[in-house]
Amino acid sequence: MIEFLTVYAENWASWWPQIRAAIWVTLGLTGFAYVLAMVVGMLIALGRMSRSALLRGLCKGYVEFMRGVPTLVILFLIYFGLPSFGIVFDAFWAGVIGLGLSMGGYIAEVFRSGLQAIHYGQREAALAVGMTPVQAFRYVTLPLAFRIILPPMLNMLILLLKDSSLAALITAPELMLTAKDLASSTFLPMHLYLLVGVLYLALTLPMSFVARHIEARMRLGAAR
Amino acid sequence: MTLVEKIELYSLTLLKGAGFTIGITVITFCVAVALGLLFGAIKAFNAKRELSSLLSFTDAVLYLSGRLLVLLINVYVEVFRGLPALAVLFILYFGLAYAGLQLGSFAAAVLGLGLIGGAMLTEVFRAGFGSIHQGQREAALAVGMTPLDALRHIILPQTWRITLPPLANYAIGLLKDTAIVSAIAAPEIMFFARNLVTRTFDTEIIYLLVAVIYFCLSFPLARLADRFEARARAGVR
């Protein structure tokens, strides 16, 4: 056990700068992909509630497709497949786009169920007092839905952070790939993979505690 | 080769991997359900045991060991819910090999994904068992059933309504997650796809075919999940 730990002490100075840089890449991937996923999710959710049957069908198809196809396949399609059509992204942005599009399908469902849980009378009342449809959405429906949406949205963020490790397989220089590179150059796979495991836990555990706390509080609010 | 011929040839190769994908999904699903049922049951039934019902020394020992078990299960659940699947697979496949224990890619994949799934399903089954009133079990025992009979014939059938929708969704997620075991050289769909790509460079056709195959595999599961969800909602009304 002590021997195992001394390896970390000996190598820490050489590992840490690379690992620290990789943590930022992982966080960047997660952050940008999350923003993209929210934009895509909101558009798809609104599309699924639109009056046009064609738009509804297309958006439903999008959700079904993203629900049925592995994120890794989406990443490979964007990073390796799109260049055949002359569209080239570097690994980081291919990762952001792939993760964002894939997660967008799930977030669309979260948004939709949140928005549909709000009684239509709320919107009608807002329109009746003279708000425009956009204002009614912005000031009445959305804030009400926010409360229902928040806990699952936090869980989606945790999922996304974990899924960002898939970008290693399209050579985005994030935590997993950095660990893999270091492991093959130092021949210490157990040490490095355990280390990134601990780092991922250090990122995800606080988030899941916050998510659970908020979830419990929201439930309290709903019971009142 | 024409495009049609290519698609035919590539599909045949990729479908060889589909068998492995399905196999690994089914076996991992069974492992995860077994772990989830066991740990979920332990968690749910220990939550219901109360300090005030302690009568003797053996009761106290049972209570404390139950608490300890629940604590260990909670740690397991938190750890495996917080780790990316890829990290777990790399630890099991590359890390253990370094420590002298060489797992095959199939064993590493089933173990890794199974442990992750078990952590997820522990909470699913705990919620399922937790929703059944204690009186149900007590009534079953009172009419002379053994605890196992009570579980099998009274408690489990009632938990399915709550556990089936998340179980079906887990199966879909698992099927998709098996794509990453290609990273530890397990010969499933993605693995064959990557090999084909390095030989033919028809990247976009091959990965689109892969997407179609996964979609065809998961679509029936998704419909099943929808039906379970609709039925579970109908039961509440």
Side-chain angles (χ1 to χ4, degrees):
Chain A
M1 185 70 190
I2 301 286
E3 274 170 63
F4 193 84
L5 291 176
T6 49
V7 173
Y8 286 112
E10 284 162 8
N11 291 293
W12 192 250
S14 66
W15 288 353
W16 178 240
Q18 292 182 58
I19 298 241
R20 191 179 49 197
I23 291 175
W24 284 111
V25 176
T26 286
L27 291 178
L29 261 176
T30 309
F32 284 120
Y34 195 58
V35 172
L36 177 63
M38 279 208 275
V39 173
V40 171
M42 189 47 104
L43 291 177
I44 298 287
L46 291 176
R48 284 201 68 176
M49 294 187 288
S50 99
R51 247 175 265 138
S52 146
L54 178 70
L55 198 58
R56 278 204 308 270
L58 282 176
C59 291
K60 181 146 197 289
Y62 181 89
V63 171
E64 290 287 339
F65 183 78
M66 290 305 172
R67 192 180 172 195
V69 177
T71 311
L72 188 61
V73 177
I74 310 278
L75 290 176
F76 273 40
L77 270 174
I78 290 171
Y79 187 65
F80 298 117
L82 281 186
S84 315
F85 303 101
I87 308 168
V88 182
F89 295 106
D90 72 6
F92 179 85
W93 290 106
V96 167
I97 294 168
L99 290 168
L101 289 180
S102 167
M103 192 50 86
Y106 288 89
I107 286 184
E109 288 300 277
V110 172
F111 280 156
R112 190 174 66 102
S113 62
L115 290 173
Q116 284 184 339
I118 306 308
H119 194 269
Y120 61 86
Q122 299 276 359
R123 179 167 177 276
E124 283 175 358
L127 296 179
V129 296
M131 286 189 180
T132 65
V134 175
Q135 280 176 329
F137 181 73
R138 163 76 186 75
Y139 294 107
V140 178
T141 311
L142 203 56
L144 285 168
F146 183 72
R147 203 195 151 90
I148 303 167
I149 290 170
L150 190 61
M153 282 303 284
L154 277 170
N155 285 325
M156 293 284 157
L157 182 60
I158 298 170
L159 276 181
L160 193 57
L161 181 73
K162 293 197 295 175
D163 276 356
S164 73
S165 65
L166 296 179
L169 301 177
I170 57 164
T171 69
E174 47 69 76
L175 257 180
M176 216 52 226
L177 186 70
T178 306
K180 207 179 170 198
D181 287 347
L182 282 173
S184 52
S185 64
T186 60
F187 299 108
L188 292 168
M190 193 55 149
H191 289 84
L192 282 151
Y193 294 137
L194 277 181
L195 178 63
V196 292
V198 169
L199 289 173
Y200 274 112
L201 281 181
L203 293 171
T204 53
L205 283 186
M207 290 204 296
S208 74
F209 281 124
V210 170
R212 222 167 302 157
H213 182 72
I214 292 178
E215 215 167 319
R217 276 193 48 178
M218 295 278 170
R219 213 176 297 135
L220 215 65
R224 231 176 260 150
Chain B
M1 256 198 306
T2 65
L3 184 65
V4 177
E5 281 170 350
K6 276 182 177 175
I7 290 179
E8 211 179 307
L9 180 71
Y10 296 161
S11 310
L12 282 177
T13 315
L14 292 173
L15 284 175
K16 271 189 253 162
F20 194 92
T21 294
I22 293 171
I24 212 166
T25 305
V26 171
I27 296 174
T28 306
F29 185 79
C30 295
V31 171
V33 167
L35 288 175
L37 260 178
L38 177 67
F39 294 152
I42 293 175
K43 269 193 82 168
F45 296 129
N46 274 296
K48 283 176 182 168
R49 192 177 299 168
E50 280 171 21
L51 250 183
S52 57
S53 66
L54 295 187
L55 297 171
S56 64
F57 177 71
T58 39
D59 279 354
V61 170
L62 271 177
Y63 175 79
L64 286 176
S65 54
R67 283 285 107 146
L68 185 68
L69 256 178
V70 169
L71 181 75
L72 289 177
I73 292 171
N74 283 341
V75 170
Y76 157 74
V77 168
E78 289 296 334
V79 166
F80 280 91
R81 282 212 303 196
L83 282 176
L86 204 54
V88 175
L89 291 178
F90 278 12
I91 289 172
L92 289 176
Y93 189 68
F94 298 116
L96 282 185
Y98 160 84
L101 181 65
Q102 177 72 63
L103 287 179
S105 53
F106 182 81
V110 167
L111 187 61
L113 294 178
L115 284 170
I116 292 172
M120 231 170 89
L121 295 185
T122 294
E123 291 305 309
V124 167
F125 282 114
R126 185 200 53 75
F129 288 129
S131 68
I132 309 299
H133 193 271
Q134 265 201 70
Q136 298 276 346
R137 182 168 178 272
E138 284 165 7
L141 297 182
V143 296
M145 287 189 176
T146 65
L148 218 63
D149 278 342
L151 187 71
R152 162 82 184 76
H153 295 290
I154 304 296
I155 299 173
L156 271 180
Q158 298 189 70
T159 58
W160 287 134
R161 211 192 65 222
I162 293 159
T163 50
L164 273 183
L167 266 181
N169 278 318
Y170 165 68
I172 301 170
L174 176 64
L175 178 74
K176 292 165 60 186
D177 272 355
T178 59
I180 67 171
V181 304
S182 60
I184 56 167
E188 42 72 78
I189 299 173
M190 274 309 260
F191 183 81
F192 278 100
R194 290 160 112 181
N195 281 348
L196 265 182
V197 165
T198 50
R199 271 192 286 134
T200 63
F201 299 105
D202 282 325
T203 327
E204 72 286 6
I205 303 176
I206 291 167
Y207 288 132
L208 274 174
L209 277 176
V210 171
V212 169
I213 292 176
Y214 273 111
F215 188 77
C216 292
L217 289 176
S218 65
F219 192 76
L221 278 176
R223 296 288 70 78
L224 197 67
D226 287 349
R227 186 180 300 174
F228 287 150
E229 246 155 63
R231 217 164 54 183
R233 254 199 311 272
V236 176
R237 247 176 247 145

